[in-house]
Amino acid sequence: MPKTYRIGQIVPSSNTTMETEIPAMLLARQQIRPERFTFHSSRMRMKKVVKEELAAMDAESDRCAVELSDARVDVLGYACLVAIMAMGHGYHRQSEQRLKAHTAANGADAPVITSAGALVNALEVIGARRIAVVAPYMKPLTELVVDYIRNEGYEVVDYRALEIPDNLEVGRHDPARLPDIVAQMDTSNVDAIVLSACVQMPSLPAVAKVEAQTGKPVITAAIATTYAVLKALDLEPVVPGAGALLSGAY
C-alpha cells in the first residue's frame, strides 16, 4: 500500500493559485511514483499586496500552523513569498523555526518550509548565481524582493514588476503572457530565470516554453516550494513537466 502524505499550506485568503499549482504538480508525480498526497489549507487575511497588509497577515501564520498541525499534516508550506521577504532580510529562517515550534508544541512536530526560503534554496540547488526575475507586485515591493534575493548572495541581472496591486487579479494573470515578457528581458548572461517570484501568479503552463525559448533553467516560487516539500518528506524531487528543478537532474 503506497504511503499517503498530508500536505499543509498556509495561504493568503485571496490566494487561488497555490491550491491549484502545488496539487497539480504532486498529482502529476503520482503518475510516475507510488506515493499519494492529500492537501489541506489554512488561511491568513490579505487582499491588497501592500506592506501593511502583509505584516498583519504574517502575524496570523502562527494560528494557521497550529490549525494545520491539528490535522497532523506531514509538512507545512508557508505559501506567500512577498509576506516573508517584506519582513526583512533572512526572515524566512526565523519564520520556519517559529512555526515549527508551534507544531511541536501542539504535539504534531512537522517540518515547515516557506516559499521564500524554498526559492532561495532552489537557486543554490541548480547552481545559479546570476538570475532574471519576473514578479507581479508594484515596483517598490518588487525591489524589496530583488533586494532580499541579492542579500542571499545572488545577482539579479534584470527584473520586471508587472504592477498588479490586487491579489485576486494577480491570480487571474494569464501565464501565456509570460514568454513575451521574458523575451523583452536581458537573459543572455543569466544562469536561471525566476518566472514567477510569487506563489499567486500562475506560471506552470509557461515553464517549458520559456525553458525552450531561452535555453535556461526556469524556476517559480511554486516549483521551488514543491521541490522543498518533497525534500522535507524525504521523497525523490521529481515531477514531470515542471521544469529543470523537478526533472530529476538535482
Side-chain angles (χ1 to χ4, degrees):
M1 185 76 181
K3 183 162 181 195
T4 297
Y5 294 90
R6 293 176 185 159
I7 311 298
Q9 293 202 75
I10 299 172
V11 292
S13 55
S14 51
N15 187 298
T16 51
T17 303
M18 277 309 252
E19 290 148 314
T20 51
E21 289 202 344
I22 299 269
M25 284 185 265
L26 292 176
L27 294 173
R29 189 186 186 278
Q30 287 186 177
Q31 309 301 315
I32 59 164
R33 293 292 183 274
E35 296 82 20
R36 295 293 175 258
F37 304 95
T38 62
F39 305 96
H40 314 277
S41 302
S42 181
R43 306 186 99 70
M44 322 171 270
R45 291 298 306 280
M46 189 268 279
K47 295 199 281 194
K48 291 268 183 291
V49 194
V50 293
K51 207 164 189 256
E52 298 70 33
E53 275 204 43
L54 293 171
M57 182 189 83
D58 181 64
E60 288 190 53
S61 62
D62 295 355
R63 167 186 58 77
C64 293
V66 174
E67 285 180 7
L68 286 167
S69 64
D70 283 346
R72 298 301 188 257
V73 295
D74 295 296
V75 61
L76 287 86
Y78 185 127
C80 185
L81 179 130
V82 70
I84 294 283
M85 293 192 176
M87 297 293 281
H89 289 166
Y91 179 70
H92 66 273
R93 296 174 184 89
Q94 199 180 320
S95 170
E96 287 164 9
Q97 281 179 334
R98 192 183 75 245
L99 297 178
K100 189 177 190 308
H102 284 304
T103 70
N106 195 30
D109 194 4
V112 176
I113 57 156
T114 61
S115 49
L119 183 70
V120 166
N121 293 339
L123 293 171
E124 189 181 340
V125 168
I126 64 173
R129 302 288 358 139
R130 296 161 56 82
I131 61 168
V133 175
V134 182
Y137 319 118
M138 303 306 284
K139 199 137 192 233
L141 269 185
T142 302
E143 284 170 352
L144 197 146
V145 165
V146 165
D147 183 55
Y148 191 102
I149 295 170
R150 283 180 175 146
N151 184 65
E152 291 289 333
Y154 301 98
E155 189 183 337
V156 180
V157 175
D158 196 5
Y159 68 91
R160 284 290 177 280
L162 305 187
E163 305 210 76
I164 310 168
D166 185 298
N167 203 40
L168 274 177
E169 287 308 311
V170 173
R172 293 190 185 109
H173 185 267
D174 184 357
R177 293 181 56 210
L178 290 170
D180 285 344
I181 290 166
V182 172
Q184 293 158 32
M185 296 172 71
D186 178 15
T187 60
S188 55
N189 290 319
V190 303
D191 304 316
I193 295 160
V194 177
L195 190 59
S196 177
C198 172
V199 295
Q200 168 72 333
M201 185 168 76
S203 52
L204 195 54
V207 169
K209 186 168 183 185
V210 175
E211 284 191 335
Q213 171 185 310
T214 61
K216 312 280 181 174
V218 169
I219 60 173
T220 70
I223 285 171
T225 302
T226 302
Y227 180 91
V229 162
L230 290 167
K231 291 294 276 187
L233 295 173
D234 245 354
L235 297 175
E236 188 188 359
V238 57
V239 171
L245 182 67
L246 290 166
S247 66
Y250 303 99

